[in-house]
Amino acid sequence: MKKLTNDFGNIVADNQNSLSAGPKGPLLLQDYILLEKLAHQNRERIPERVVHAKGSGAYGELKITADISQFTKAKVLQKGEVTPLFLRFSTVAGESGAADAERDVRGFAIKFYTKEGNWDLVGNNTPTFFIRDAYKFPDFIHTQKRDPRTNLRNANAAWDFWTLCPEALHQITILMSDRGIPASYRHMHGFGSHTYSLINDKGERFWVKFHFKTQQGIKNLTNKEAEEIIAKDRESHQRDLYNSIEKGDFPKWTFQVQILPENEVDKLGFNPFDLTKVWPHSIVPLMDIGEMILNKNPQNYFNEVEQAAFSPSNIVPGIGFSPDKMLQGRIFSYPDAHRYRVGTNYHLLPINRARSEVNTYNVAGAMNFDEYKNKSAYYEPNSYDDSPKEDKNYLEPDLNLEAAAQRYAPLDDDFYTQPKALFDIMNDSQKEQLFNNIASSMEGVEQKIIDKALMHFEKISKEYAEGVKKALSK
């Protein structure tokens, strides 16, 4: 039989009874096991994520099956390469105790443990987002969280913000559609959402969007179905993912990309870095390049899912950024959140640690348990062959910039073409669900804000506006 110990290996003789002065007496301060247990319990929770607080995760691998070496030198994207990964799914707006089957965008964050360092692709189950400039992000998230006066979610705040930021209409149409509540994490697509760079060995840049299409098929829930599930099981997605993997029914996704040469962006007719828009497949076709599978459950939820930390700042040679303003903001915001939430050295935790060689001059900081490997020098530049140096061979090609620095308004105010294109391909049943879902989400919203929303819907399509009006009158 294994002997119970404390965190330092000291054997615990009695784990049932506190040390006290007599059977009725007060407790003794020297009962270090009691103190350790109580103190640890007080610190068992770390601050939850401000967004994406409720999540589930699993391990798997990505296999590349197509040759795209003409577009990128990234080893993780070369044909035949198999890369281990960890994927965290989540809801966005709710707290850590939120129900899985709520109407919300789903996070789709993947950490690839590549041979050249960690590559984090941090996206959602939608190819778009509500806003296109990180400047608006804190305000947007405030509208999705609890009103500080009532501590209740506020539909009026959400719709007030959305109607004043009509770039959100595309994402609203997706969220309020039949795809707004996935039946499970296995039955939804995933997207990198942002535009990224691919860089080949000639130093040429291509713009790219990443897609993961579920091989389980798309399955969604109606509001009524979701309500019935939530009444019985608030962890429905977590349970489904865990049980599926445990019984060997491993979920899979087809890995696809859209690739656009740097000098062909004008063919889109809009800003290619606008997160509220998609690249039409008719202009930039999807290419199948691989398959992702999830095949192993975490063994410790806190260590592996709660402390998992993803950031789009984690890239590898051959993959780069773009001028996407939302992406630019997230490059700072995500690692900053992890340093606050998990700790300065969150990257040393096993779930976050790179599986390739790491050579850094970052030292110390709270909970730094890493072995110090630098010998002659603890700084750079230095004159010692056994100390790490920069390597200019990995510089990215120049990115041409233009114009003076100022707070530029978006390049266009076409908020309606892409939502209309999405609405036009919906069948009658899907449209009816959209109308009813919007109407139910507007419960308690002031009439002046509803009127603004209807004005925007009218600009998308008269049928869209009339359908919502009818649903509101029921």
Side-chain angles (χ1 to χ4, degrees):
M1 181 182 71
K2 292 183 178 179
K3 294 182 174 64
L4 177 67
T5 73
N6 70 355
D7 290 339
F8 296 93
N10 308 130
I11 295 175
V12 178
D14 185 341
N15 196 46
Q16 317 304 319
N17 307 292
S18 299
L19 190 63
S20 62
K24 298 178 182 178
L27 303 182
L28 301 185
L29 189 61
Q30 76 179 56
D31 191 347
Y32 71 98
I33 297 295
L34 169 65
L35 301 183
E36 184 178 284
K37 289 176 71 174
L38 294 179
H40 190 280
Q41 182 185 33
N42 289 342
R43 295 162 176 80
E44 281 182 351
R45 300 293 181 266
I46 60 177
E48 72 174 31
R49 292 166 169 86
V50 176
V51 288
H52 300 276
K54 177 71 176 294
S56 304
Y59 295 93
E61 61 184 29
L62 175 71
K63 182 176 183 179
I64 303 300
T65 56
D67 183 1
I68 59 168
S69 57
Q70 70 269 37
F71 302 116
T72 181
K73 60 185 177 183
K75 290 181 180 178
V76 64
L77 297 179
Q78 301 308 307
K79 184 176 181 180
E81 189 74 8
V82 178
T83 303
L85 62 89
F86 183 78
L87 194 158
R88 184 179 186 270
F89 303 99
S90 58
T91 50
V92 175
E95 299 93 350
S96 60
D100 287 348
E102 294 183 2
R103 183 170 298 276
D104 197 358
V105 177
R106 300 303 192 273
F108 200 100
I110 316 171
K111 185 179 296 294
F112 299 99
Y113 303 99
T114 89
K115 296 172 181 176
E116 300 176 292
N118 286 357
W119 170 38
D120 289 355
L121 189 60
V122 188
N124 290 318
N125 70 324
T126 61
T128 59
F129 197 59
F130 296 94
I131 54 176
R132 50 188 169 185
D133 190 329
Y135 210 62
K136 292 184 176 183
F137 190 72
D139 294 291
F140 165 65
I141 292 301
H142 287 165
T143 73
Q144 303 299 298
K145 294 294 184 177
R146 295 178 182 271
D147 186 319
R149 297 166 302 171
T150 66
N151 198 38
L152 298 172
R153 299 283 288 276
N154 190 330
N156 198 73
W159 278 102
D160 187 29
F161 182 90
W162 287 341
T163 54
L164 293 171
C165 300
E167 68 266 32
L169 287 166
H170 196 177
Q171 181 79 335
I172 291 167
T173 303
I174 297 173
L175 178 62
M176 297 299 169
S177 75
D178 60 322
R179 294 199 179 191
I181 312 179
S184 81
Y185 289 132
R186 297 182 299 123
H187 293 95
M188 68 183 194
H189 297 328
F191 301 88
S193 301
H194 296 288
T195 300
Y196 291 89
S197 295
L198 293 181
I199 299 164
N200 65 17
D201 56 10
K202 298 177 183 178
E204 299 170 324
R205 176 184 282 107
F206 301 84
W207 303 121
V208 63
K209 284 186 177 287
F210 298 104
H211 305 251
F212 296 85
K213 298 298 180 69
T214 177
Q215 294 184 14
Q216 289 69 240
I218 291 288
K219 290 185 181 179
N220 305 294
L221 302 172
T222 65
N223 283 348
K224 186 175 185 299
E225 290 170 335
E227 290 167 2
E228 292 172 353
I229 290 172
I230 291 171
K232 298 176 182 178
D233 186 359
R234 298 180 65 81
E235 277 66 56
S236 54
H237 287 23
Q238 164 73 19
R239 196 178 313 280
D240 174 86
L241 180 68
Y242 184 88
N243 288 343
S244 295
I245 293 175
E246 282 297 291
K247 67 183 182 183
D249 183 13
F250 301 139
K252 297 179 181 179
W253 286 260
T254 300
F255 184 29
Q256 299 176 320
V257 292
Q258 287 178 287
I259 296 176
L260 186 64
E262 194 173 15
N263 60 358
E264 294 185 16
V265 294
D266 290 344
K267 70 197 299 185
L268 289 173
F270 56 82
N271 178 7
F273 314 117
D274 184 339
L275 184 57
T276 66
K277 292 182 169 67
V278 297
W279 292 0
H281 299 167
S282 59
I283 299 175
V284 189
L286 289 167
M287 301 167 52
D288 289 2
I289 66 166
E291 181 178 85
M292 179 175 70
I293 184 172
L294 298 180
N295 54 20
K296 179 185 174 185
N297 278 314
Q299 298 304 301
N300 184 307
Y301 184 90
F302 178 82
N303 288 357
E304 298 165 82
V305 182
E306 185 64 15
Q307 293 193 124
F310 305 83
S311 174
S313 59
N314 293 333
I315 55 170
V316 293
I319 301 173
F321 307 126
S322 82
D324 180 337
K325 291 182 179 181
M326 282 295 294
L327 174 60
Q328 295 279 316
R330 294 174 84 197
I331 290 169
F332 160 76
S333 181
Y334 275 60
D336 185 58
H338 304 323
R339 294 184 194 102
Y340 161 72
R341 195 179 72 88
V342 182
T344 303
N345 289 296
Y346 71 93
H347 60 283
L348 296 179
L349 296 173
I351 188 63
N352 298 321
R353 190 168 188 135
R355 299 183 186 180
S356 60
E357 184 176 357
V358 175
N359 297 307
T360 178
Y361 292 104
N362 290 335
V363 296
M367 301 302 291
N368 188 326
F369 55 83
D370 207 15
E371 177 186 355
Y372 189 70
K373 293 178 288 188
N374 296 328
K375 296 181 180 179
S376 302
Y378 47 91
Y379 51 87
E380 206 279 338
N382 62 68
S383 304
Y384 301 96
D385 293 338
D386 60 355
S387 296
K389 307 286 194 304
E390 66 183 14
D391 189 341
K392 287 186 165 50
N393 291 321
Y394 290 90
L395 284 173
E396 293 187 3
D398 294 342
L399 177 64
N400 294 323
L401 304 175
E402 58 183 3
Q406 62 173 270
R407 297 188 184 277
Y408 287 97
L411 293 176
D412 70 69
D413 57 0
D414 181 5
F415 311 124
Y416 310 107
T417 298
Q418 290 207 353
K420 183 180 188 305
L422 175 59
F423 179 75
D424 287 345
I425 63 173
M426 292 182 179
N427 59 37
D428 291 344
S429 174
Q430 291 170 325
K431 289 178 180 178
E432 191 67 21
Q433 287 188 64
L434 173 67
F435 304 148
N436 291 333
N437 292 338
I438 289 176
S440 66
S441 76
M442 287 182 165
E443 185 175 346
V445 175
E446 295 176 39
Q447 188 60 47
K448 66 180 181 180
I449 294 173
I450 292 176
D451 291 342
K452 280 193 294 181
L454 291 171
M455 178 269 292
H456 288 302
F457 297 152
E458 179 83 19
K459 292 183 179 181
I460 295 174
S461 163
K462 289 184 178 180
E463 182 187 0
Y464 198 145
E466 289 300 320
V468 175
K469 284 181 185 177
K470 183 178 178 182
L472 285 167
S473 66
K474 291 179 179 178

